[in-house]
Amino acid sequence: MIQIYDTTLRDGTQREGVSLSCDDKLRIARRLDDLGVTFIEGGWPGSNPKDAEFFERARDVPWRHAKITAFGSTCRVNGAPEDDANIQALVEARTPVCTVVGKTWTLHVEEVLRTTREENLRIIEKSLAYLRAQGRRVVYDAEHFFDGYRADPEYALETLRAAVKGGAETLVLCDTNGGSLPWQIGEVVGEVQAAIRHPLGVHCHNDSECAVANSLAAVQQGATQVQGTFNGYGERCGNANLCSIIPALELKMGLRTLPEGKLATLFEVAHFVAEVANLAPDEHLAYVGKSAFAHKGGIHVAAMRRSETSYQHVDPALVGNRMRVVVSELSGRGNLLSKAEEWGLEIGEDADVGAVLNEIKALEAKGFAFEAAEASVALMFARQKPGYRPPYELIDFVANVEHRDGRGLFAEAMVKVRVGGEVQHTAAEGDGPVDALAAALRKALVGRYPRIAELQLSDYKVRILDGKGGTASVTRVLVDMQKGKRRWSTVGASSNIIEASWIALVDAMEYGLTLVGD
């Protein structure tokens, strides 16, 4: 069993742009506890009132799996732990576990603390021993351990021995600057294991993009605790990403990290943490990104249709993710057939898949992009079916934006469409030309299709594809529409933003009227 020590609520919040309220921290902690991590580091009670509040409120929560941990540093140089405000804050947090960080690197001892090596050893041992005497389990974080070991290996080991004397249950070797490489980590952990013979952990930062690999290398050499954060949040380039470490340990190295069945909730928890942190999820993360098992290349998808292991290193369901096929100009027939199956579309023997594929390639050359507009592709298939009739046909539209004295800026639109053999000619005003067009089209359709009122525009995105054309540049518009919980996306592109918006808008409404059930 490898102990997973989560420090999202402390080290993770040191990422630029992250600020969690106490309520946020408690929500995340509950999800991490349900996932089954071993330790949840709630913060540094001696550093700010919010972290102190977290520990006070956390005492009333019935934690099922995790031990809530308070973080702090050794007592001050030439001081005693019983007189140190930071140490007392750890005691007052009343957590079952305290994690104490101390100096390993002689550079930090002599130039940052400005003390002697002997005094540094004293404050490490005495701080831990005091907390142990207060009935706390103690984890020791050896800050800058790998840099310190390279500078003076014997002194680095002496700091660990001082922590063992003080009662540390685990010695965590920290790559605080994040500059070590996997073989360096593995070599040092192996040497420390042979010299100290005490439970070891590892805490890596990602400044050389090796934090996950470094953590795994440490486990391979005997470390039994891994510290990290969800989604790799952390200062500078972030911390070791537990969303990659946990499945790698379980699925690649055969080591247990979570209770039975919990690995399959990893995708959900990763996205929950991002949502609470108010950050867009990184959908290209290994294992838990939506693109982690997304297949775009035509030859890849063709192979996947014969064997899903051909281009996937693990079954995505093991981490709660799923395989997806992406449609684009790089697609082959397999991409389209897979998407049709995903949408539940019955593709007849006479369906011209090649025609749809050629249409996609031609439109993407003009600026369309169908990766995020799958409803547009579904409509292409639907229009291939014999007997398919669109719910309406455009005859004309006009959109005006005016500024009039005494009224200010306003927009209005006129739409003429053929619906069921009859011509409907309507007009409407809106906040802008696209809004006015949408309102006019709804008025034209509502008599024949009352359910048009249930289709709600949920998102509208505009992207300029090539700014070199100035105001005449090609514009791509993505429209998201929904009916209840069902949501779909369509795309339009043109050098005229109104035309691009109209294409995406009418496709979104046509999809909602023809391919979305009641």
Side-chain angles (χ1 to χ4, degrees), residues 251 263-267 287-290 292-295 304 308-309 311-324:
L251 303 178
L263 183 63
T265 67
L266 193 67
F267 175 91
Y287 296 101
V288 296
K290 287 184 178 178
F293 302 96
H295 305 278
M304 289 283 294
E308 291 192 356
T309 60
Y311 280 92
Q312 290 185 164
H313 66 112
V314 297
D315 177 359
L318 294 173
V319 293
N321 208 336
R322 67 183 183 91
M323 186 269 284
R324 294 190 303 114

Side-chain angles (χ1 to χ4, degrees), residues 386-455:
Y388 177 81
R389 294 290 182 270
Y392 52 88
E393 297 176 42
L394 172 67
I395 300 174
D396 298 309
F397 75 77
V398 175
N400 291 316
V401 178
E402 300 182 32
H403 183 281
R404 293 183 183 176
D405 187 32
R407 182 174 179 182
L409 193 70
F410 74 100
E412 62 181 1
M414 178 277 294
V415 169
K416 187 186 291 186
V417 293
R418 185 175 287 106
V419 185
E422 297 181 1
V423 174
Q424 300 291 332
H425 191 177
T426 60
E429 294 184 0
D431 292 333
V434 178
D435 185 45
L437 281 168
L441 182 57
R442 287 178 183 274
K443 287 175 66 175
L445 299 178
V446 70
R448 181 65 180 267
Y449 304 105
R451 65 182 184 277
I452 194 76
E454 301 175 43
L455 309 185

Side-chain angles (χ1 to χ4, degrees), residues 89-150:
L90 290 176
V91 174
E92 291 166 8
R94 291 163 54 188
T95 56
V97 183
C98 293
T99 296
V100 175
V101 63
K103 301 298 185 185
T104 303
W105 194 358
T106 51
L107 179 145
H108 276 257
V109 174
E110 296 167 353
E111 297 186 26
V112 177
L113 288 185
R114 295 185 177 180
T115 189
T116 65
R117 300 184 182 194
E118 292 74 19
E119 173 62 9
N120 182 53
L121 297 176
R122 185 192 71 84
I123 62 176
I124 292 172
E125 180 181 346
K126 295 300 182 182
S127 297
L128 273 58
Y130 178 79
L131 290 169
R132 287 287 293 152
Q134 304 303 309
R136 304 299 191 271
R137 295 169 58 185
V138 180
V139 173
Y140 178 67
D141 277 7
E143 189 183 33
H144 295 283
F145 183 83
F146 296 93
D147 292 309
Y149 190 85
R150 282 189 285 269

Side-chain angles (χ1 to χ4, degrees), residues 218-232:
V219 172
Q220 189 179 41
Q221 292 299 318
T224 56
Q225 182 185 114
V226 178
Q227 297 190 358
T229 63
F230 258 69
N231 300 317

Side-chain angles (χ1 to χ4, degrees), residues 326-327 339 343 360 364 368-380 476-480 488-492 504 507 511:
V326 177
V327 174
K339 291 309 294 184
W343 296 321
I360 289 170
E364 289 221 349
F368 286 71
F370 294 97
E371 289 185 33
E374 295 179 342
S376 294
V377 180
L379 279 174
M380 293 181 192
R476 179 188 299 149
V477 172
L478 283 172
V479 163
D480 285 4
W488 59 94
S489 302
T490 52
V491 64
D507 275 5
Y511 182 88

